[in-house]
Amino acid sequence: MTDEWTFVSPRNKKRSSKPSRQRRHHGGVDGHNATTNTNDDGMKRFFDNRINNNHPKPQQTEAEKTKDRERIRDAILDSISALENVWMSSETSFSYRLIDALREVTTSSSAKKVEEGAGNKSETKNEEGNDDDDNESNQLNIREIVAYGIGNFATSSFSAPMLQLACVLFLRRRAASSIITDSNDDDNASNDNDIQDVFKREQDQVPIYYYEPCILPEERDLLETVFHVAVLESNEFGKLRVQSMRRQDGEKASATTTSMKSVSKSLFYMPHCPMRLYCNVLWSHWESLDSTIIYGNSFHSYDERTLSEEGRTDPTNGILRIIPCTNEIPIKLRGNRRGDELYDALNHLETAFNDCNIISFMVDETSDRTRPDEYFASQDNENGELSR
């Protein structure tokens, strides 16, 4: 029996005849199979303890391994560059719309808190006599990014998982540029050491905490040594709080960024993750949802498609409980989206991000603050469902 409220199906999805177009979470756990079925393999990857990720691989020489590693790295860098280029050149591109939505949900409350602590912001001018509004409009007040369930990005160049990884690295760069005054240096990075220094500096300012149950050794190596991403060691099923992630990573809060971090938000980057994983994130951060943002499947779509009485009354279903306090900004992938079509690296945008929204929460004293029940992975359910 499948979990009837774990998957948000695409709306009027046109099937492509291109064999390379993949759907990340609906094939095998290794990310290769592109077929769609009713079982949510995202659920299975996160919640079935019997999954074995030791897939046999053909033997490679050291030279072949190095060449393959460079190919993957260069493809990710090309994808990041494509997202940056269309962000700068087109206000209808995917990356521009995504950054604009994140800016809206991260600066509104942050600006309000700054005003309360520093007086009337309208009287604040910068050194050139200009209003600081223009500077704040370019900021993303994000303290850290938690990336769950991207999949195996090293199995195919410019695949949906690779594009999702490139996108989260792009988001970190834009968030870090709000802190790093000389962020333009990334344009001048010319060799491997320069590139790695840029990523390390960005990670120091806005860390990415990353977990993928089926991560491959070569993927971990690239994430840790080239892109400087903090890879979480154990599967906490979405229940690990960001405070614990910071302690595990030995977060270093510099004096220059402490004030910003006090008004910044945590972004959970979860495109096409299973519904119960979102519920676990809500459960573990229930008392701090006003400082939590999710980029992932539409919660309102889950509400519309959860029809059974069992699903709607399940005490572990935090999504339906938080719906009255949920604000969503759709990131459109259809219609006029100029610029994206110019880059081969962005061919799988719709596959990677279809039906994903920026989700924030407006929790106040009138909201239902009753925390949903915790739920646990079943030890004997081969479909990876959960039982209370």
Side-chain angles (χ1 to χ4, degrees):
M1 175 180 176
T2 61
D3 188 340
E4 62 186 317
W5 47 279
T6 57
F7 173 58
V8 175
S9 59
R11 296 189 181 95
N12 300 321
K13 171 85 173 167
K14 293 183 179 179
R15 295 192 176 275
S16 171
S17 59
K18 297 181 180 180
S20 61
R21 186 171 291 274
Q22 300 177 0
R23 289 193 56 91
R24 173 172 54 85
H25 281 320
H26 306 285
V29 296
D30 58 0
H32 290 287
N33 193 333
T35 60
T36 302
N37 59 49
T38 57
N39 291 317
D40 189 338
D41 285 328
M43 281 290 292
K44 185 176 291 186
R45 283 166 51 229
F46 267 90
F47 295 108
D48 189 344
N49 293 326
R50 292 169 298 177
I51 287 182
N52 182 0
N53 193 36
N54 297 320
H55 303 297
K57 296 188 64 177
Q59 293 295 321
Q60 288 182 306
T61 65
E62 289 302 316
E64 290 172 334
K65 289 179 180 178
T66 300
K67 184 177 180 180
D68 200 41
R69 184 179 188 272
E70 292 175 350
R71 174 189 61 78
I72 298 165
R73 179 204 61 191
D74 291 346
I76 295 169
L77 292 174
D78 287 346
S79 299
I80 297 171
S81 295
L83 289 166
E84 288 184 314
N85 289 339
V86 295
W87 170 70
M88 291 186 291
S89 62
S90 174
E91 293 186 3
T92 61
S93 66
F94 163 78
S95 52
Y96 186 94
R97 289 172 174 173
L98 180 59
I99 293 295
D100 196 48
L102 282 170
R103 185 182 298 122
E104 178 179 335
V105 298
T106 61
T107 58
S108 56
S109 60
S110 299
K112 181 178 179 181
K113 291 181 181 179
V114 170
E115 287 177 26
E116 292 171 351
N120 190 341
K121 188 172 72 68
S122 63
E123 297 177 358
T124 304
K125 304 288 182 178
N126 60 26
E127 293 179 356
E128 298 175 352
N130 297 322
D131 205 318
D132 280 345
D133 285 345
D134 291 339
N135 293 333
E136 289 203 4
S137 67
N138 292 321
Q139 290 187 352
L140 292 182
N141 292 326
I142 295 174
R143 177 168 181 167
E144 65 257 309
I145 303 173
V146 181
Y148 281 141
I150 282 179
N152 294 127
F153 60 83
T155 57
S156 178
S157 293
F158 307 128
S159 62
M162 181 177 286
L163 186 52
Q164 289 182 349
L165 173 63
C167 184
V168 75
L169 294 171
F170 164 71
L171 292 180
R172 181 180 67 179
R173 175 160 297 173
R174 298 304 348 131
S177 70
S178 300
I179 308 170
I180 304 173
T181 56
D182 58 345
S183 59
N184 287 333
D185 285 353
D186 57 8
D187 296 331
N188 301 320
S190 57
N191 58 48
D192 290 352
N193 289 334
D194 290 340
I195 291 171
Q196 292 178 33
D197 286 344
V198 169
F199 286 119
K200 183 179 186 303
R201 184 173 50 184
E202 293 166 354
Q203 178 72 4
D204 287 342
Q205 298 298 334
V206 182
I208 295 175
Y209 304 115
Y210 183 102
Y211 188 76
E212 163 54 48
C214 296
I215 191 171
L216 301 173
E218 56 268 35
E219 293 172 340
R220 175 185 287 271
D221 174 60
L222 282 167
L223 288 170
E224 294 181 336
T225 64
V226 176
F227 300 109
H228 289 276
V229 169
V231 179
L232 301 174
E233 295 297 330
S234 59
N235 188 355
E236 304 291 343
F237 311 109
K239 298 178 185 180
L240 189 65
R241 292 177 57 82
V242 290
Q243 291 86 348
S244 298
M245 298 180 199
R246 294 170 194 161
R247 287 194 294 270
Q248 288 183 17
D249 193 42
E251 181 190 58
K252 306 174 188 67
S254 67
T256 57
T257 61
T258 299
S259 60
M260 178 186 170
K261 287 184 176 182
S262 67
V263 296
S264 295
K265 299 197 175 188
S266 302
L267 171 62
F268 284 82
Y269 182 86
M270 305 172 63
H272 301 160
C273 281
M275 183 179 184
R276 291 189 185 267
L277 194 63
Y278 295 113
C279 288
N280 273 356
V281 169
L282 293 175
W283 176 85
S284 59
H285 295 83
W286 195 255
E287 301 303 322
S288 57
L289 289 179
D290 57 344
S291 60
T292 300
I293 301 169
I294 295 175
Y295 178 49
N297 297 346
S298 166
F299 283 14
H300 286 106
S301 292
Y302 280 127
D303 185 28
E304 294 170 1
R305 298 167 190 176
T306 303
L307 303 178
S308 72
E309 182 67 18
E310 180 183 4
R312 300 200 69 86
T313 58
D314 189 318
T316 66
N317 191 337
I319 286 181
L320 297 190
R321 186 166 299 184
I322 201 63
I323 279 290
C325 306
T326 298
N327 176 58
E328 295 192 354
I329 303 177
I331 311 300
K332 296 181 180 179
L333 283 164
R334 295 185 179 85
N336 183 21
R337 205 179 74 230
R338 299 181 62 182
D340 295 336
E341 74 283 355
L342 301 178
Y343 296 89
D344 289 340
L346 304 183
N347 282 343
H348 295 290
L349 274 175
E350 189 171 337
T351 306
F353 301 110
N354 178 66
D355 207 22
C356 289
N357 295 349
I358 294 295
I359 304 168
S360 58
F361 307 98
M362 302 167 290
V363 182
D364 55 32
E365 58 276 5
T366 65
S367 306
D368 180 5
R369 302 304 298 268
T370 306
R371 192 184 191 188
D373 291 351
E374 181 181 7
Y375 50 24
F376 303 91
S378 172
Q379 299 299 316
D380 57 358
N381 192 319
E382 66 181 58
N383 287 326
E385 295 180 9
L386 302 178
S387 61
R388 296 193 303 278

